[in-house]
Amino acid sequence: VYSLDGLLVFGLLLVCTCAYLQKVPRLKAWLLSEKRGVWGVFYKAAVIGTRLHVAVAISCVLMAFYVLVVK
């Protein structure tokens, strides 16, 4: 997380993980119930991942290409 590309990878993984966890009912009630504060970050990441799923998927593919081939 000490570089820009590491921060982008971390952000993409957070958004993808929270969007996935939103589909699991027990985890959604436990982890994504708060909409404010520190736990609200997970809720907001899940909303971003759900609403912008095409853009997030394209970003994941491009970041994977960058990490595996370019870097």
Side-chain angles (χ1 to χ4, degrees):
V1 187
Y2 297 114
S3 61
L4 180 63
D5 57 343
L7 187 65
L8 288 174
V9 168
F10 178 76
L12 281 171
L13 287 174
L14 179 74
V15 168
C16 292
T17 303
C18 288
Y20 176 75
L21 290 178
Q22 191 175 19
K23 302 295 182 186
V24 181
R26 287 189 181 183
L27 291 176
K28 181 180 179 182
W30 178 68
L31 185 63
L32 301 173
S33 61
E34 292 291 325
K35 296 182 182 177
R36 293 185 183 165
V38 176
W39 290 103
V41 174
F42 298 118
Y43 172 78
K44 291 174 185 175
V47 170
I48 290 170
T50 304
R51 292 185 181 170
L52 299 174
H53 61 276
V54 174
V56 171
I58 291 170
S59 299
C60 286
V61 169
L62 290 175
M63 186 56 73
F65 177 78
Y66 172 76
V67 169
L68 292 175
V69 177
V70 176
K71 193 174 182 185

